[in-house]
Each structure stands twice: as C-alpha cells, then as structure tokens.
Amino acid sequence: GDSVTQMEGPVTLSEEAFLTINCTYTATGYPSLFWYVQYPGEGLQLLLKATKADDKGSNKGFEATYRKETTSFHLEKGSVQVSDSAVYFCALSDPNTGNQFYFGTGTSLTVIP
Amino acid sequence: DVKVTQSSRYLVKRTGEKVFLECVQDMDHENMFWYRQDPGLGLRLIYFSYDVKMKEKGDIPEGYSVSREKKERFSLILESASTNQTSMYLCASSPPTAVKNIQYFGAGTRLSVL
C-alpha cells in the first residue's frame, strides 16, 4: 500500500545552517507530494507541494523536488532561522486510492541561535 | 483564508465517558477528516466524509464514530473513552480533489482520558 518514510528526528541545527529532511514514498499511482509544517501548539499548515515528476515546490525559502526515479521528495532550506523550529511532515495523495492522504511520522526541527 | 475550528484545545475525560469532538469549517468544503496524532506514528486517519451524512472508515476507526449532519460540521464521537485514546486529534477539510488537492487543518484537540 501507499506509504511515506521520512528521516527520524529530532534534528537540531544552528541558525543559518543548511537543512535537509529526507522523504521517500511508495505509491501505486502517480501521487501528489506535500510538505506540511506544524508549529508548536498549532495544527498542520501546507508548506509546499508538487504534483508531478520533476516539479519543484517552494515556499518561505524551503524547496523540495519530486524525484520519480528515486521516489523522493526531500525538503531543503539553505539557511534556517529560529522561527523554523517546528515539526515537518511529508505526505502524499494518490489518485489510485481516492486521493487519500498518507503522512510520514514527522521530523522535529529545533534551530538554536 | 480557510478556517477549520476545533471546539476545544484541551479536554480531560474519564474512562467510560462519551466524548464529542467538534469541528467546523467555513469554506463550504465537501471533504472532512479526523486524524489522531501520536509520537512516532505521525497522523493516522480515523474517519472521513465526502458529503453530508456520508462517512467512510479510515485506517483506525475502532472505538470511534462520526456524524456529519451539516456540511460545515464533522463530529468525532468516542462512545466509551479508554486510556489508549489519549492523543492529539486533528480535523481537516478539503475541497473536491479535482478542484484543489490540499487539506486544511484545525489547531487540534489534545484529549486526555484518565
């Protein structure tokens, strides 16, 4: 069945460091891929998405490229800030399963000054 | 902006109580979802609904039921709360996927069952 695997945390970085959070997926069809972010005490918010192979989603300095050949959608940011501290979830939506969403387990990021 | 409102941020209930978690969205979305979020397990889908009075089981429906009498409101019901239902519960809504395949989330309800 469909699934998403993302790197386990927690991840702790210094401000201005480079961030990568790995995400790989398994899907029966051609899914859309998402990164959601959950700030402390809040619900999940869409960070970025990509709907087909080689698409790049970007928002707030974060980027992720839909790589069909490696079934990956790794999240990157060149210079993290303290305000980026949150939990990040990779997710997919597969039209072959009625576009049900499948979420990874989440990666907690803490950025220290 | 889409707004998904969950009626309570924190709830404390006793084992055996009937618990209602309420969720309201203001964007006329057809689809609504209930997830629970647990450390190390991510989000797991409990139930979802594609229309008023329609419901579908998700991955972990046991011990839960839902009600959708109006389009904007989706309720999660714990018929007899148990300690293993202590969790964060997240409600989400979305338009038809052909229109826009994005889920919008509420802030969550942290439920403790004692």
Side-chain angles (χ1 to χ4, degrees):
Chain A
D2 292 6
S3 66
V4 174
T5 303
Q6 61 182 104
M7 65 183 284
E8 294 197 15
V11 175
T12 302
L13 294 173
S14 296
E15 206 165 22
E16 299 184 2
F18 185 85
L19 169 70
T20 299
I21 301 177
N22 290 339
C23 172
T24 58
Y25 68 89
T26 302
T28 55
Y30 297 93
S32 295
L33 301 174
F34 307 81
W35 278 100
Y36 277 80
V37 58
Q38 184 179 34
Y39 298 104
E42 299 182 14
L44 276 69
Q45 305 173 23
L46 178 66
L47 180 60
L48 53 84
K49 66 178 285 190
T51 57
K52 62 183 187 299
D54 299 325
D55 268 2
K56 177 185 284 188
S58 61
N59 186 24
K60 299 182 181 179
F62 290 89
E63 293 183 341
T65 301
Y66 189 140
R67 301 283 188 204
K68 190 171 185 295
E69 64 276 13
T70 54
T71 62
S72 65
F73 193 54
H74 304 321
L75 182 68
E76 296 182 337
K77 187 175 185 182
S79 176
V80 293
Q81 305 300 312
V82 172
S83 57
D84 294 327
S85 298
V87 181
Y88 293 82
F89 291 89
C90 186
L92 71 82
S93 173
D94 187 346
N96 279 16
T97 58
N99 283 308
Q100 182 174 332
F101 272 63
Y102 297 87
F103 288 86
T105 54
T107 301
S108 175
L109 169 67
T110 300
V111 180
I112 54 177
Chain B
D1 280 351
V2 175
K3 192 161 186 181
V4 180
T5 303
Q6 295 184 229
S7 55
S8 304
R9 294 298 301 272
Y10 301 94
L11 275 179
V12 180
K13 297 293 182 180
R14 298 211 173 272
T15 303
E17 279 192 77
K18 190 169 186 176
V19 181
F20 293 86
L21 303 183
E22 306 288 345
C23 175
V24 176
Q25 50 95 2
D26 66 356
M27 282 301 294
D28 203 36
H29 285 169
E30 280 74 9
N31 306 324
M32 296 190 74
F33 309 82
W34 275 106
Y35 296 88
R36 62 177 285 175
Q37 179 182 5
D38 300 288
L41 297 177
L43 275 68
R44 293 179 291 167
L45 182 64
I46 304 172
Y47 268 96
F48 59 101
S49 169
Y50 287 141
D51 203 348
V52 176
K53 295 192 185 296
M54 295 183 68
K55 61 185 179 183
E56 297 285 343
K57 293 181 180 179
D59 299 320
I60 52 164
E62 297 78 18
Y64 304 94
S65 62
V66 290
S67 171
R68 191 153 180 216
E69 296 296 319
K70 294 184 178 180
K71 191 174 185 180
E72 67 270 19
R73 186 180 296 270
F74 192 35
S75 302
L76 180 69
I77 303 155
L78 287 66
E79 294 289 342
S80 178
S82 63
T83 54
N84 62 12
Q85 293 178 309
T86 291
S87 186
M88 170 72 90
Y89 290 87
L90 294 171
C91 175
S93 73
S94 72
T97 52
V99 172
K100 195 173 187 182
N101 190 16
I102 296 175
Q103 293 197 358
Y104 299 88
F105 284 83
T109 297
R110 186 166 294 282
L111 173 67
S112 296
V113 182
L114 306 178

